Amino acid sequence: TTPRKEWVITNANQKVVAYGYSSCVNVNSKNSYGAYTGNQTYWFFMRNGKIERSQNTTSGSFGRMISRNHFVNCDNG
């Protein structure tokens, strides 16, 4: 997706907020047998020209949650 302005909490105990940009990317990797595993969506948080956080949003029950009540938005709108 097109990068969009985003925020994340970097220290949950102190509630420190970091501002940057996020983008979602579909990744289709190969397994150890050389077969493709199928598209999985990854979310990336970027700040100061570096990826600071990444998350597989396809797997797990909290895959689309960035922080409490704050979810990944992979819409390209």
Side-chain angles (χ1 to χ4, degrees):
T1 59
T2 304
R4 67 181 76 219
K5 291 181 181 180
E6 185 68 81
W7 61 270
V8 297
I9 295 177
T10 58
N11 184 329
N13 294 332
Q14 297 176 357
K15 293 189 168 88
V16 176
V17 178
Y19 297 93
Y21 293 88
S22 70
S23 185
C24 294
V25 178
N26 284 328
V27 177
N28 190 3
S29 60
K30 289 186 177 183
N31 63 19
S32 60
Y33 299 105
Y36 286 100
T37 60
N39 281 336
Q40 294 191 17
T41 303
Y42 281 81
W43 170 84
F44 294 97
F45 176 74
M46 300 154 283
R47 190 168 76 142
N48 298 325
K50 296 180 181 178
I51 295 174
E52 291 197 359
R53 187 168 161 189
S54 64
Q55 192 165 314
N56 183 341
T57 64
T58 306
S59 62
S61 58
F62 296 105
R64 295 185 65 86
M65 187 180 294
I66 300 169
S67 59
R68 188 174 190 177
N69 296 323
H70 184 191
F71 295 88
V72 169
N73 181 356
C74 288
D75 295 337
N76 209 8

